[in-house]
Amino acid sequence: MNWVKVIEADELEESERKLIKLGEQTILLMREKDRFYAVSNQCPHLKLPLLKGKVTADNSIVCPWHRSEFDLTTGEVKEWSSWPPGLGKLLGCLKRETALTVFPVKMEEGGVWVGLD
Ligand code: FES
């Protein structure tokens, strides 16, 4: 695992987000309930940005486009393309269910580190 320090921990307030460019990847770094999460900013459904996605009480992110929902820790799909009603399910058929890419995060030396393969 290649760990990269991306920010100082105090640079991101609670519920704040930041896009981090690492090589070819754009990582969405989030601070929720005093925990940091790092996920791909591309929704696996149609590759649209997750930046404005809502975080739920059980630590999932809901894509702002067709409301696919992913677990922030595992990337597991909880809901696939449910929006808009009727059309969402049709759009969901354009691509089979695919987990969100999540990256390990650790706190060290006052910084937030993201692990890359
Ligand atoms: S792009 Fe995210 S659910 Fe369609």
Side-chain angles (χ1 to χ4, degrees):
M1 183 72 61
N2 182 24
W3 289 96
V4 179
K5 184 178 181 180
V6 291
I7 60 167
E8 297 295 333
D10 59 7
E11 285 180 50
L12 207 59
E13 299 291 327
E14 179 64 26
S15 300
E16 206 176 8
R17 297 161 183 211
K18 187 175 184 113
L19 292 177
I20 310 271
K21 190 90 174 134
L22 287 178
E24 299 295 308
Q25 315 237 32
T26 302
I27 294 174
L28 174 58
L29 184 68
M30 297 176 282
R31 185 175 191 161
E32 297 289 337
K33 298 178 197 144
D34 218 23
R35 183 171 168 188
F36 290 89
Y37 297 94
V39 302
S40 169
N41 188 44
Q42 277 193 329
C43 176
H45 177 227
L46 296 181
K47 308 273 186 215
L48 296 172
L50 283 172
L51 179 62
K52 303 277 186 199
K54 180 181 161 219
V55 173
T56 66
D58 63 346
N59 295 332
S60 295
I61 187 165
V62 180
C63 176
W65 302 95
H66 311 111
R67 298 189 190 167
S68 289
E69 183 176 339
F70 308 93
D71 184 288
L72 278 173
T73 304
T74 65
E76 169 193 352
V77 177
K78 291 183 161 180
E79 180 72 41
W80 188 248
S81 186
S82 61
W83 186 260
L87 185 59
K89 293 293 179 198
L90 185 63
L91 287 171
C93 293
L94 295 176
K95 182 155 186 213
R96 70 179 171 83
E97 288 190 19
T98 305
L100 175 64
T101 302
V102 297
F103 301 90
V105 176
K106 70 176 181 180
M107 308 291 294
E108 205 171 278
E109 300 166 1
V112 179
W113 297 70
V114 173
L116 304 173
D117 286 331

